Amino acid sequence: GRKVLIVYAHQEPKSLNGSLKRIAVEELSKQGCSVTVSDLYAMQFEPRATRNDIVGCLHDAEEFDYGMEAWEAYKRGSLSSDLVEEQKKVQEADLLIFQFPLYWFSMPAILKGWMDRVLVQGFAHEFPNCYDSGLLKDKLALFSFTTGGSREMYAKGGISGDIRYLLWPMQHGIMHFCGVKVLEPHICFAPEYVSEENRREMLIAWAQRLKTLWNEEPINCSPEWYFK
Ligand code: FAD
Ligand code: ZN
């Protein structure tokens, strides 16, 4: 069976994000996948990239350089245990699903912190091993998120601009940079402002998509996909 890691960033299990996460766990488990969830708020995941991420002595105690220290610590096996745990989950996964509400055209800070701290140089990328030769190649990622704004606001000529502009840093800047191939995002627009009936339809659509997810081809994650 395939392995899926769902990195989930919502405070409330009763939220639509909570329902979307639950459906993914159910549907993928039913298919025989083994599903792991990192429920970041429940874990009280530390989003800040600090000195505390390195256990023991620093490589250069005179002038702290987080990226360098994390890279060195990864190589000597002295990253903090919460990071090692997450890296293990990523390493084992065939597919990473990120489930979150859109915050300020991006992901919630706790999820951004997961990206900052887990995708360490040496583990996820190591120049020149980036983009198509990133160290996490052969994995897939899927960004599944909800918005406050409507589909119309996030259309190409809409007031908020094409939703794909926001996906550039997340999908290309982070996942593709680490070699991960990206599936079409799954976006539930404005769940708070639609009917109960519409929300149920959104959840059914997600369950339906998951049934044939493994037949999907990754997007062509290049500037054209985002900005053409
Ligand atoms: P919820 O409020 O949890 O869901 C809506 C309703 O669905 C709830 O009433 C819930 O009970 C119901 N529901 C849950 N499960 C089910 C079910 N199984 N069946 C039927 N109904 C169900 N939006 C933007 O567009 N752009 C931004 O830049 C942006 N920035 C933000 C920044 C911050 C700091 C914050 C707090 C919000 C921001 N938002 C933004 C809005 C945010 O994206 C939305 O509020 C969020 O995506 C809604 O998702 P939710 O899961 O929290 O919704
Ligand atoms: Zn790309």
Side-chain angles (χ1 to χ4, degrees), residues 113-185:
W114 186 95
M115 305 282 180
D116 293 349
R117 297 178 62 232
V118 175
L119 303 175
V120 169
Q121 185 159 8
F123 170 70
H125 56 90
E126 186 160 25
F127 191 80
N129 293 317
C130 57
Y131 290 111
D132 289 348
S133 55
L135 301 177
L136 303 180
K137 58 181 182 296
D138 309 324
K139 297 185 190 301
L140 295 167
L142 192 168
F143 286 83
S144 175
F145 60 98
T146 58
T147 69
S150 65
R151 187 185 291 277
E152 293 68 42
M153 291 166 78
Y154 285 109
K156 224 176 171 49
I159 190 168
S160 301
D162 194 331
I163 195 80
R164 289 189 177 195
Y165 303 157
L166 326 184
L167 290 163
W168 170 252
M170 301 190 257
Q171 294 187 164
H172 181 78
I174 305 175
M175 284 300 127
H176 190 181
F177 187 81
C178 296
V180 180
K181 294 186 184 65
V182 178
L183 297 176
E184 284 283 347

Side-chain angles (χ1 to χ4, degrees), residues 10 12 14-19 22 100-106 145-150 154 188 191-192 196 199-200 203:
H10 201 291
E12 173 55 60
K14 292 182 192 134
S15 64
L16 198 79
N17 274 274
S19 292
R22 211 154 37 246
F100 59 97
L102 192 67
Y103 275 12
W104 294 120
F105 273 28
S106 184
F145 60 98
T146 58
T147 69
S150 65
Y154 285 109
C188 292
E192 295 151 289
E196 180 81 13
R199 281 198 292 270
R200 269 202 293 272
L203 295 166

